[in-house]
Amino acid sequence: MNLESFVRTIEDYPQPGISFKDITTLLKDGEAFKYAVDQMINNLKNKEVDYIIGMDARGFIFGAAVAYGLGVGFIPARKPNKLPSEVIGCEYELEYGKNTIEIHKDAINPGDKIVIIDDLLATGGTAGAVEKLVQSLKGELVGFEFLIELDGLEGRKNLENKNINVLIHY
């Protein structure tokens, strides 16, 4: 299945010069969404995984579905002040600004095997910040799964773990 045909591009969103990859059209198509999730599950089914971390917000969609498919737990990585218990956070840069990402301090135990999932790898800022959170809690990062990678932004250079699977390249 050509997943790229289910993603629309919106120019100058959220600001001039950005070509936003809108995945809502892929999510709306049941077969395309199922195919994308199944591809991620297939990439991971022979690996030892304890938890999937999905990044706020579209990473929740894919991360939770993949965690369910693998029968493992799901950990949300959230924007600031969204988690109710004690958190650990990391600031990062986006292609169009700065932000912070947080997870609960008790979400990961030393040695837990983690996969980080998001819809898009651009500069690698968000994924790199979550990678640092996993490391600081002494989890073992198995790798990353992304629906889309914007190759020209070279985001994978900002990730220490090079086990990166991507379904669509732009």
Side-chain angles (χ1 to χ4, degrees):
M1 177 177 289
N2 179 9
L3 289 175
E4 187 174 342
S5 67
F6 293 93
V7 178
R8 68 178 159 196
T9 300
I10 302 186
E11 298 298 334
D12 299 319
Y13 181 84
Q15 67 183 38
I18 303 292
S19 294
F20 187 82
K21 302 306 180 201
D22 179 17
I23 66 164
T24 61
T25 45
L26 182 145
L27 296 172
K28 186 173 110 176
D29 187 286
E31 286 183 38
F33 179 47
K34 183 179 184 325
Y35 181 81
V37 170
D38 286 348
Q39 292 303 303
M40 291 180 182
I41 291 169
N42 287 336
N43 288 338
L44 298 170
K45 68 181 177 185
N46 294 321
K47 296 183 179 179
E48 192 176 339
V49 177
D50 296 310
Y51 299 103
I52 301 292
I53 295 181
M55 294 187 281
D56 203 344
R58 293 178 303 269
F60 295 171
I61 298 166
F62 290 96
V66 171
Y68 174 83
L70 292 173
V72 302
F74 177 78
I75 299 169
R78 304 280 330 252
K79 293 175 182 150
N81 305 311
K82 300 289 184 183
L83 293 170
S85 190
E86 191 175 0
V87 298
I88 182 171
C90 184
E91 188 177 271
Y92 63 96
E93 291 193 27
L94 302 157
E95 62 272 27
Y96 48 84
K98 286 187 179 185
N99 211 337
T100 299
I101 195 98
E102 300 176 337
I103 61 174
H104 280 134
K105 272 191 171 182
D106 62 358
I108 298 171
N109 293 310
D112 285 346
K113 293 175 180 40
I114 309 292
V115 172
I116 298 170
I117 295 183
D118 204 5
D119 66 317
L120 181 74
L121 174 58
T123 65
T126 313
V130 175
E131 181 178 38
K132 287 178 181 147
L133 294 175
V134 170
Q135 292 168 344
S136 70
L137 294 173
K138 301 191 181 350
E140 182 183 322
L141 184 59
V142 175
F144 296 91
E145 291 286 328
F146 296 99
L147 177 67
I148 296 170
E149 180 176 7
L150 304 178
D151 295 329
L153 296 178
E154 299 182 330
R156 57 178 63 222
K157 284 185 175 179
N158 294 317
L159 304 176
E160 289 183 35
N161 186 306
K162 300 303 180 191
N163 185 7
I164 303 166
N165 291 310
V166 178
L167 301 183
I168 304 169
H169 289 269
Y170 286 99

